[in-house]
Amino acid sequence: MFNRSALRLQKSAASLLKRSYTTEQPPSAAHKLAEEALSQKVGAPKGKVTLPKSDKKPTKANKKGDSGMKEVALVGGILTGTALGSLFYFGRPFEGEREDKYANENAFAAAYKRCADRFKEFQQSMHEPMWDKLLPEPLPEPYRRPYTLVINLDETLVYSYWDKEHGWRHAKRPGVDYFLSYLSQFYEIVVFTSQPAMNAMPILDKLDPYQYAMYRLYRDATRYVDGKYVKDLSHLNRDLSKVIIMDSNPESFSLQQENGIALKPWKGQLGDKGLLEYIPFLEAIALTNPDDVRPVLKSFEGKHIPLEWAKREEEMNRMHRLQWEEEQSKKKTKRNLGSLLTGGGAAAEVEGPPPTYLEQMRKHVRETFATEFQQQKKIQEEAMQQDMERQMEMMKQMKMSVWELMTQAASGQPIAPPQPGTEQPPQQQ
């Protein structure tokens, strides 16, 4: 009996202690009495009775550890499978006629090297122009221009700046209109900018409304080399012996420096003549028609082309005058001998040497251009005026008001413009 009562008392004390541990409440007087009685029966020292320790670990901790390990194993398996699949797919043997230089190597090493080659080719293709041929085939005769003039936009034709009051603003370089219009009769003009099309297209639409520049190229036509956008002229689909590029950034044509003319950047200065002073030189190239422009540009290397060309032209005119004077002195001697024999009078003196071939062609071309330019400008202005009048007339004929459009859309009826000649009933207020 004594043993049974002791066991019951021990169980009740243990349950009370367990509840006290779980609720974390201070022990009451009954708890203290139970502890003292239990300690007297079992001979344990006075103090707080603790529950027996178990060798088993908590089940919750095991479950959490197992789930974490499963997640790690699952992620690792997915990554390993993806890596192996990518290695075998991108490391497969090259197709077509391309030589596989890794055919005799270990399968895994060959797959890795092919994968690396394909990645390098993909990275290189992202830095190449979007198209292999940036321009279409040249126009047929007589519309074809003998030479191609590639010219930059930023700090060459326009200057863009930003301020807090107006945001982005764009200034047009003095002489741009005459430069593009006059040289368009000699050159196939291409505006090539490193700006994205969405930024440069509105600027070019206002800068060149008559489209004297036949083609426009943007950032997607450039090559990305060492963190810089480079204009590779070899992708133009044109003979490079007939191509000239003018740019305020010499690094942009670093791949074909022999075709380039480095201009001084224009920062918005008033009265600038940086474009107009190049017209005589470019005009002379077109009129003299050299087989290759690169040796011509090479002869001006390190010099300011407009000034150097003016000196050379002045020297050519001097030589032409000396040659004419020598010819005139020979003719004068022959005339004097003839007058002595025939008894004729003295021949009339010539005022000066005739103009050179370049001067004659330049005069003819400029006079013709002045006449045709005025006529063409008048025709284009009339066409633009007619187009504006046509748009205004179409707006007048549209009798559907905004309120009617909203009412019709709210009613679920299909929105259609009114038929011509029909009257819309007035809306009731």
Side-chain angles (χ1 to χ4, degrees):
M1 288 295 291
F2 178 76
N3 291 335
R4 289 181 181 178
S5 61
L7 288 174
R8 288 193 191 117
L9 187 60
Q10 185 178 5
K11 287 181 180 180
S12 60
S15 62
L16 289 173
L17 287 172
K18 188 174 182 180
R19 278 198 295 269
S20 66
Y21 273 108
T22 55
T23 57
E24 298 182 357
Q25 294 180 356
S28 59
H31 291 167
K32 292 180 179 180
L33 291 174
E35 289 178 2
E36 292 177 357
L38 180 61
S39 61
Q40 291 176 1
K41 296 294 181 183
V42 299
K46 292 183 179 181
K48 188 174 182 180
V49 180
T50 58
L51 294 174
K53 295 183 179 180
S54 176
D55 295 336
K56 294 183 179 181
K57 296 181 179 180
T59 56
K60 290 184 179 181
N62 289 337
K63 289 183 179 179
K64 288 183 180 179
D66 293 342
S67 62
M69 292 299 295
K70 288 180 180 178
E71 291 178 358
V72 172
L74 180 61
V75 173
I78 292 174
L79 294 177
T80 304
T82 304
L84 291 175
S86 302
L87 178 63
F88 281 104
Y89 177 76
F90 293 105
R92 67 189 186 279
F94 296 110
E95 301 174 354
E97 300 179 355
R98 181 173 177 175
E99 182 182 0
D100 190 0
K101 55 185 178 181
Y102 309 116
N104 298 327
E105 298 186 12
N106 179 273
F108 283 96
Y112 174 77
K113 292 180 180 179
R114 294 191 197 101
C115 186
D117 287 352
R118 284 190 169 96
F119 176 76
K120 291 178 181 178
E121 292 172 359
F122 170 75
Q123 190 177 22
Q124 185 177 3
S125 66
M126 296 299 294
H127 295 166
E128 293 289 327
M130 186 172 291
W131 306 277
D132 186 46
K133 295 182 179 181
L134 299 177
L135 300 180
E137 297 297 326
L139 296 176
E141 297 291 349
Y143 307 104
R144 181 185 301 177
R145 300 291 186 268
Y147 299 97
T148 300
L149 178 62
V150 181
I151 189 165
N152 184 39
L153 178 64
D154 301 309
E155 299 184 355
T156 303
L157 301 180
V158 299
Y159 176 66
S160 303
Y161 60 96
W162 185 90
D163 57 30
K164 295 182 179 179
E165 184 178 358
H166 303 96
W168 280 105
R169 305 188 75 181
H170 310 282
K172 184 169 65 173
R173 191 168 190 172
V176 167
D177 297 332
Y178 184 79
F179 180 86
L180 295 176
S181 59
Y182 182 72
L183 292 181
S184 63
Q185 60 185 331
F186 305 114
Y187 293 88
E188 177 188 47
I189 300 179
V190 180
V191 177
F192 199 165
T193 176
S194 58
Q195 283 197 37
M198 61 180 297
N199 296 339
M201 194 177 295
I203 301 175
L204 286 172
D205 289 340
K206 293 183 178 181
L207 178 69
D208 184 23
Y210 303 124
Q211 297 184 356
Y212 292 114
M214 298 180 65
Y215 303 105
R216 303 172 180 178
L217 299 176
Y218 307 99
R219 178 176 293 180
D220 52 10
T222 61
R223 289 182 63 183
Y224 193 69
V225 181
D226 297 332
K228 301 174 183 178
Y229 295 101
V230 179
K231 301 168 185 177
D232 190 354
L233 303 181
S234 63
H235 289 272
L236 283 183
N237 193 26
R238 295 293 185 269
D239 183 7
L240 290 183
S241 64
K242 309 290 184 182
V243 176
I244 300 175
I245 179 171
M246 302 178 67
D247 203 306
S248 56
N249 181 17
E251 293 181 351
S252 64
F253 56 87
S254 57
L255 298 178
Q256 292 88 20
Q257 296 182 8
E258 63 276 7
N259 291 86
I261 298 177
L263 301 177
K264 183 180 179 181
W266 181 63
K267 300 294 185 178
Q269 300 90 342
L270 299 177
D272 177 81
K273 296 183 179 179
L275 287 177
L276 298 178
E277 62 185 8
Y278 276 90
I279 288 180
F281 171 72
L282 297 172
E283 180 186 53
I285 289 180
L287 294 177
T288 55
N289 195 22
D291 295 331
D292 194 339
V293 298
R294 290 171 290 189
V296 178
L297 297 177
K298 181 69 175 179
S299 66
F300 289 89
E301 187 176 5
K303 302 174 182 177
H304 187 54
I305 291 181
L307 293 179
E308 182 64 21
W309 170 248
K311 293 179 182 179
R312 295 187 186 185
E313 188 174 7
E314 184 179 357
E315 181 64 20
M316 287 189 295
N317 293 337
R318 189 182 70 83
M319 295 298 296
H320 173 70
R321 184 177 184 88
L322 291 176
Q323 183 180 0
W324 173 82
E325 289 177 352
E326 184 179 353
E327 292 176 356
Q328 288 298 115
S329 63
K330 292 180 181 180
K331 291 180 181 180
K332 187 176 182 180
T333 304
K334 292 180 180 179
R335 287 172 183 170
N336 289 337
L337 293 175
S339 62
L340 291 174
L341 294 174
T342 58
E349 293 187 5
V350 183
E351 294 182 356
T356 62
Y357 169 76
L358 183 59
E359 291 174 340
Q360 293 177 14
M361 292 298 298
R362 180 181 295 164
K363 181 180 179 182
H364 172 71
V365 169
R366 292 185 178 182
E367 290 178 353
T368 305
F369 170 76
T371 305
E372 293 180 352
F373 178 74
Q374 294 298 332
Q375 295 177 355
Q376 186 178 8
K377 186 176 180 180
K378 184 178 180 181
I379 293 172
Q380 290 172 344
E381 289 178 353
E382 291 178 354
M384 293 179 64
Q385 184 66 25
Q386 291 177 2
D387 186 50
M388 292 180 61
E389 292 177 356
R390 191 181 304 110
Q391 292 181 6
M392 294 296 295
E393 187 66 23
M394 291 176 62
M395 293 178 64
K396 290 180 181 179
Q397 291 178 358
M398 293 179 64
K399 299 181 179 179
M400 182 182 292
S401 65
V402 177
W403 176 254
E404 292 171 347
L405 184 64
M406 295 175 61
T407 305
Q408 191 172 355
S411 63
Q413 299 178 0
I415 302 175
Q419 298 295 330
T422 60
E423 293 291 337
Q424 293 291 330
Q427 296 290 329
Q428 295 182 358
Q429 301 294 331

